[in-house]
Amino acid sequence: MATLNLVLMGLPGAGKGTQAQMIVDDFDIIHISTGDIFRSAMKNETEMGLKAKAFIDKGELVPDEVTDGIVKERLSKDDIAKGYMLDGYPRNLEQANALETISSELNRDVNAVINIHVDPEILVKRLSGRFICRTCGATYHKLYHMPKVEGTCDVCGGHDFYQRDDDKPETVRNRMDVNMKMNTPLVDFYEEKGLLHTINGDQDIEDVYKEIKSILDKL
Ligand code: ADP
Ligand code: AMP
């Protein structure tokens, strides 16, 4: 297949950002994380960022019209012609239907959905140990994925790390509930379209990646 247009699915903490980093390096496609776009807008205190913050702080989804608009704008850019990987979008059936319309209008239809499956109990623990490079956004974990040199980001060499506000236990529980409710219909939607590939995300980061790569290599 000439162009890879992917959706990366999975509950919060399933490993989407971690795997996305490796996928875009290998397959040279554009990574679009709606969560990253919102965090950047919040940091820059844009109008959209301030609007999104009220929802994100509570672990709720940002309204569809805002999120769909962001994705439409990003998928319209020329660099997407090489292929894209959506991470954290769509998150509900309405967004999945919006993506159908957007991608077909742009002639950039999704050709595979990778669903990283991990038991929600494990995810709650994972999120409490997550920390992120402030310079480039690379994701680490206190127990499972430390930088090779302590205090130095493997990707950009930065030394400044932070924990996400929405990774605190009270917010994590609500985020998990909100996302679990939406997840099953979304899985069914892509299963019916014959696009879904479900991966066991409860194994070492490299082994998860091997499974994903073997699927993408065959497309
Ligand atoms: P998501 O983008 O799906 O929310 P992340 O990629 O940020 O998830 O991963 C959540 C946390 O779990 C991070 O701290 C990450 O380092 C860690 N992590 C990711 N994949 C695994 C894995 N297979 N095993 C253990 N920890 C993992
Ligand atoms: P993430 O980085 O994917 O965990 O997203 C962080 C937060 O951003 C979520 O808890 C939501 O509040 C918001 N968000 C990210 N993607 C979406 C989306 N597709 N729809 C609505 N809200 C989103």
Side-chain angles (χ1 to χ4, degrees):
M1 185 181 291
T3 315
L4 273 185
N5 295 337
L6 305 177
V7 168
L8 196 55
M9 267 183 70
L11 293 172
K16 299 182 296 296
T18 304
Q19 298 298 327
Q21 187 90 40
M22 295 187 263
I23 296 170
V24 293
D25 280 354
D26 266 355
F27 293 91
D28 197 24
I29 56 179
I30 303 289
H31 178 202
I32 305 170
S33 155
T34 41
D36 282 351
I37 293 171
F38 288 134
R39 277 184 290 280
S40 159
M42 288 193 294
K43 193 170 146 199
N44 296 324
E45 299 184 347
T46 67
E47 199 184 324
M48 184 269 280
L50 294 173
K51 199 168 167 186
K53 189 175 181 346
F55 298 92
I56 292 175
D57 282 351
K58 288 186 283 184
E60 302 289 337
L61 293 188
V62 176
D64 291 342
E65 61 272 20
V66 178
T67 314
D68 295 340
I70 288 169
V71 171
K72 183 171 183 180
E73 197 184 313
R74 188 64 190 89
L75 286 185
S76 307
K77 298 216 167 120
D78 289 344
D79 58 352
I80 296 296
K82 288 164 146 186
Y84 61 81
M85 183 179 45
L86 285 163
D87 157 4
Y89 181 94
R91 272 236 192 19
N92 59 28
L93 269 187
E94 290 73 20
Q95 292 182 4
N97 282 310
L99 178 59
E100 290 286 294
T101 309
I102 296 166
S103 61
S104 94
E105 274 172 13
L106 295 167
N107 205 11
R108 287 171 179 175
D109 287 316
V110 172
N111 41 44
V113 177
I114 305 287
N115 177 31
I116 308 178
H117 177 78
V118 183
D119 191 286
E121 293 292 315
I122 295 173
L123 295 178
V124 173
K125 277 192 221 139
R126 267 198 201 173
L127 290 173
S128 66
R130 170 159 70 181
F131 63 98
I132 299 172
C133 171
R134 201 179 290 281
T135 315
C136 75
T139 303
Y140 298 94
H141 194 280
K142 280 185 204 160
L143 299 176
Y144 310 123
H145 182 207
M146 287 292 284
K148 291 190 183 80
V149 178
E150 203 185 325
T152 303
C153 175
D154 295 347
V155 179
C156 74
H159 299 292
D160 189 10
F161 298 91
Y162 74 100
Q163 263 197 301
R164 277 169 51 173
D165 283 342
D166 62 349
D167 278 349
K168 48 183 196 273
E170 318 84 86
T171 319
V172 164
R173 270 188 289 277
N174 191 39
R175 278 168 67 205
M176 213 52 83
D177 288 347
V178 166
N179 283 276
M180 275 164 64
K181 245 180 256 157
M182 315 274 183
N183 201 51
T184 311
L186 214 48
V187 166
D188 293 346
F189 178 89
Y190 285 120
E191 176 95 75
E192 271 168 36
K193 289 191 175 292
L195 294 175
L196 190 76
H197 302 268
T198 297
I199 304 288
N200 172 17
D202 186 15
Q203 43 182 345
D204 286 350
I205 291 172
E206 288 71 26
D207 293 330
V208 177
Y209 185 61
K210 267 186 216 152
E211 271 197 44
I212 295 178
K213 188 168 182 319
S214 80
I215 289 166
L216 298 184
D217 281 338
K218 282 186 221 130
L219 290 175

